């Protein structure tokens, strides 16, 4: 720590299914947590939306509650809150009025396959190599660019208003910072910008060619700033003091930073609504040949000449969301945490595979027409087998991504750091180590997404000196070592690949609209 004075950071972790706020102390320990779920909106199969006002209301309420609890738990006062860090569900797209801050439509969520037809059109026009070269991404409905174009085309008068400078676009952190600052800061960080399919990750600017192709006015885009930087002071009416908003990163980049994967070759995997693996590749942007994305991991230092760290990323659309489906869709568990006890009732899946392609498949397949499937059913299969197969699917999808990552990077990973809600599941973590043949390390502080946002905000405000100090705070909770023999590993994974092929290309293209 730079100072011996007590200092705390408020981290806002705005996720796909809930908003969370966590107050950390200067040792990276949690002193308070508040969380609220908010409704998911499913207008049609494959489509997902959120009410931006519900996002804001739940995030503001949890922030206030976390501050109250921090004061009650450890006596933390507003004067001791050094900064606010923000991390967010990425790619989710919001357009709002510059004058009022009022959204013009529901947020289009990253999971939504709404713009699959537009993406197909861009591919037919031969734009995939250009997009890959400039942005590190592929053309897919996952990313924000086509969502913006859809909103401008389908909300009455939106395109004309955007061209007049009346409308603003932002991913979720941008919308939150706008609201937190009372409309004084329209900003995003480099990590979130790199997920829009509009940002050139080499020139570090919005790309005019891509904006022209999608007919998106540059004036509606936020200013891009480092991930660790004082963007603005929050409106003092919100919390009672003008706290600095000093850090922002997309959730997966924040988790990588919170896991202290600061050295090229280090990797982490987050088990949340989706499942996301990032490999630090340092100052070089490596183009994937195996279906992965090249993305900005974080940007530090001088805003005029930021120090960029790049990463390879594999994105799995459905991980923890499949457990929610067991709870809400099938009703076989009452709470998500119950899945481990149910799965432990059986020694294996009895030959069952669950492919949770509810909104298509992400890396390395990128198949928006894939759909979920349960294969290998017999009369002997029970809910416990399905539960176990659902957990195993997270590990198998991670195997798919790791294979691609190792091929691209040309290295064999020796260990994998894990985090996210499902990482508390010992059964899943052991199977993950078994099916990968790689040691799986779970940290003591599992809220690494929020921790990463706190670290970024704390670096900008002098709570911590540098990444060396942050790395010294990482502590192991448990290491899971592989116990499965190579033959069984190969047989199980071959079955998974066979199951995936059955689920691919299931929906007709017009069913993804």
């Amino acid at each position: 720590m730079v100072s011996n004075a007590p200092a705390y950071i408020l981290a806002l972790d705005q996720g796909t299914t809930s908003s969370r706020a966590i107050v950390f102390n200067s040792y990276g320990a949690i002193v308070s947590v508040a969380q609220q779920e908010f409704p998911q909106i499913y207008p049609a199969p494959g489509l997902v939306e959120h009410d931006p006002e519900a996002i804001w209301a739940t995030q503001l309420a949890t922030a206030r509650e976390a501050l109250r609890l921090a004061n009650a738990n450890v006596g933390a006062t507003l004067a001791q809150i050094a900064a606010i860090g923000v991390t967010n569900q990425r790619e989710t797209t919001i357009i709002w009025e510059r004058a009022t801050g009022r959204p013009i439509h529901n947020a289009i969520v990253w999971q939504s396959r709404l713009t699959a037809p537009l993406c197909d059109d861009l591919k037919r026009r031969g734009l995939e190599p250009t997009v890959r070269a400039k942005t590190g991404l592929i053309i897919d409905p996952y990313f924000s660019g086509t969502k913006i174009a859809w909103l401008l085309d389908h909300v009455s008068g939106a395109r004309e208003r955007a061209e007049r400078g009346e409308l603003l676009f932002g991913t979720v952190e941008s919308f939150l910072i706008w609201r937190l600052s009372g409309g004084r800061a329209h900003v995003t960080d480099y990590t979130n910008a790199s997920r829009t399919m509009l940002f050139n990750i080499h020139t570090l600017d919005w790309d005019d060619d891509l904006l022209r192709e999608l007919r998106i006015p540059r004036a509606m885009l936020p200013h891009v700033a480092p991930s660790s930087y004082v963007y603005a002071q929050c409106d003092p009416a919100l919390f009672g003091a003008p706290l600095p908003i000093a850090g922002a990163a997309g959730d997966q980049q924040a988790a990588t930073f919170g896991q202290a994967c600061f050295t090229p070759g280090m990797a982490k995997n987050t088990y949340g609504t989706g499942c996301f693996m990032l490999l630090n590749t340092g100052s070089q942007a490596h183009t994937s040949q195996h279906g992965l994305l090249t993305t900005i991991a974080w940007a530090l230092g001088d805003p005029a000449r930021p120090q960029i760290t790049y990463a390879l990323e594999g994105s799995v659309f459905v991980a923890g969301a499949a457990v929610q489906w067991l709870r809400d869709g099938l009703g076989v568990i009452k709470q998500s945490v119950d899945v481990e006890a149910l799965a432990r009732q059986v020694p294996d899946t009895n030959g069952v595979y669950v492919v949770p392609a509810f909104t298509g498949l992400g890396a390395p397949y990128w198949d928006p027409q894939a759909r979920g499937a349960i294969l290998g059913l017999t009369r002997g299969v029970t809910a416990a087998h399905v539960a176990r197969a659902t957990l195993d699917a997270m590990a198998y999808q991670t195997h798919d991504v790791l294979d691609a990552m190792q091929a691209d990077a040309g290295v064999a990973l020796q260990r994998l750091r894990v985090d996210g809600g499902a990482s508390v599941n010992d059964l899943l973590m052991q199977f993950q180590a078994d099916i990968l043949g790689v040691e799986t390390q779970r940290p003591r502080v599992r809220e690494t997404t929020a921790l990463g946002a706190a670290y970024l905000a704390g670096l900008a405000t002098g709570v911590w000196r540098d990444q060396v100090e942050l790395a010294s705070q990482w502590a192991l909770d448990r290491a899971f070592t592989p116990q499965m023999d190579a033959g069984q590993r190969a047989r199980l994974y071959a079955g998974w690949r066979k199951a995936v092929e059955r689920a691919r290309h299931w929906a007709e293209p017009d069913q993804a609209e």
Side-chain angles (χ1 to χ4, degrees), residues 90-147:
R90 302 172 304 171
E91 298 94 17
T92 294
T93 297
I94 305 173
I95 296 178
W96 65 92
E97 296 175 340
R98 183 190 296 272
T100 68
R102 184 170 58 241
I104 67 168
H105 190 277
N106 280 338
I108 307 300
V109 178
W110 60 272
Q111 296 165 310
S112 182
R113 313 314 285 167
L114 175 70
T115 62
L118 176 53
C119 290
D120 290 341
D121 180 61
L122 295 174
K123 292 174 186 176
R124 282 193 294 269
R125 287 159 55 192
L127 288 173
E128 183 98 73
T130 298
V131 169
R132 168 67 86 176
K134 289 173 177 281
T135 71
L137 309 177
I138 64 166
I139 295 176
D140 190 84
Y142 184 21
F143 306 109
S144 311
T146 57
K147 294 177 171 67

Side-chain angles (χ1 to χ4, degrees), residues 73-383:
N73 294 344
V74 297
T77 66
L78 280 176
Q80 293 173 308
I81 303 297
I84 298 174
V86 183
T87 184
N88 56 289
Q89 52 165 316
R90 302 172 304 171
E91 298 94 17
T92 294
T93 297
I94 305 173
I95 296 178
W96 65 92
E97 296 175 340
R98 183 190 296 272
T100 68
R102 184 170 58 241
I104 67 168
H105 190 277
N106 280 338
I108 307 300
V109 178
W110 60 272
Q111 296 165 310
S112 182
R113 313 314 285 167
L114 175 70
T115 62
L118 176 53
C119 290
D120 290 341
D121 180 61
L122 295 174
K123 292 174 186 176
R124 282 193 294 269
R125 287 159 55 192
L127 288 173
E128 183 98 73
T130 298
V131 169
R132 168 67 86 176
K134 289 173 177 281
T135 71
L137 309 177
I138 64 166
I139 295 176
D140 190 84
Y142 184 21
F143 306 109
S144 311
T146 57
K147 294 177 171 67
I148 302 170
W150 187 95
L151 288 166
L152 293 181
D153 284 336
H154 289 83
V155 176
S156 178
R159 188 172 294 283
E160 293 76 14
R161 295 186 68 194
E163 290 171 350
R164 292 196 299 267
E166 297 175 12
L167 301 182
L168 301 177
F169 152 74
T171 40
V172 171
E173 92 300 335
S174 186
F175 177 67
L176 290 178
I177 294 172
W178 172 270
R179 287 284 180 96
L180 287 166
S181 67
R184 290 186 293 274
H186 183 214
V187 64
T188 188
D189 89 298
Y190 283 93
T191 72
N192 280 292
S194 75
R195 309 298 296 189
T196 59
M197 215 175 79
L198 301 173
F199 188 77
N200 190 313
I201 62 173
H202 309 289
T203 65
L204 303 180
D205 193 11
W206 301 112
D207 191 90
D208 288 325
D209 292 338
L210 297 176
L211 293 177
R212 192 178 307 112
E213 290 289 349
L214 289 168
R215 298 172 57 223
I216 295 172
R218 182 184 266 262
M220 70 185 301
L221 303 178
H223 171 69
V224 185
S227 312
S228 181
Y229 182 69
V230 179
Y231 310 114
Q233 303 289 319
C234 75
D235 185 338
L238 295 176
F239 305 118
L243 304 174
I245 309 164
D251 52 10
Q252 302 315 315
Q253 287 96 330
T256 310
F257 203 83
Q259 284 274 36
C261 292
F262 300 142
T263 304
M266 295 184 72
K268 71 88 201 175
N269 197 36
T270 295
Y271 303 80
T273 301
C275 201
F276 303 88
M277 185 184 293
L278 268 73
L279 173 74
N280 182 331
T281 63
S283 60
Q284 299 299 314
H286 291 271
T287 300
S288 173
Q289 304 300 320
H290 299 86
L292 302 181
L293 307 176
T294 306
T295 197
I296 293 178
W298 50 78
L300 304 177
D302 183 354
R305 296 173 62 94
Q307 299 171 357
I308 304 294
T309 296
Y310 293 94
L312 284 171
E313 175 176 330
S315 308
V316 170
F317 293 152
V318 175
V323 176
Q324 292 178 322
W325 166 72
L326 292 177
R327 181 192 69 189
D328 302 333
L330 297 188
V332 298
I333 53 175
K334 291 185 177 180
Q335 302 179 75
S336 294
V337 294
D338 298 336
V339 69
E340 182 172 3
L342 178 59
R344 283 190 182 278
Q345 293 178 11
V346 292
D348 53 41
T349 68
N350 198 14
V352 171
Y353 287 88
V354 172
V355 183
F358 302 144
T359 56
L361 287 170
Y365 306 103
W366 297 107
D367 181 358
Q369 274 74 53
R371 287 296 178 267
I374 306 176
L375 299 112
L377 291 171
T378 64
R379 283 292 299 273
V381 170
T382 67

Side-chain angles (χ1 to χ4, degrees), residues 259 268-272 275 319 340 344 388 391-392 394-396 398 416-443 446 477-484:
Q259 284 274 36
K268 71 88 201 175
N269 197 36
T270 295
Y271 303 80
C275 201
E340 182 172 3
R344 283 190 182 278
R388 187 152 190 151
L391 292 180
D392 287 359
M394 296 189 215
Y396 286 129
T398 299
L416 179 67
R417 289 185 172 179
V418 298
D419 54 61
S423 69
V424 304
N425 188 314
D426 289 351
L427 183 66
L428 170 60
M429 291 298 98
Q430 184 58 57
F431 186 74
Q432 185 70 89
D434 286 341
I435 204 65
L436 292 180
V438 169
E439 180 177 281
T440 301
Q441 296 182 331
R442 184 171 64 199
R446 295 169 205 154
D477 170 56
R478 180 173 172 184
F480 298 84
T481 57
Q483 298 174 2
M484 183 180 292

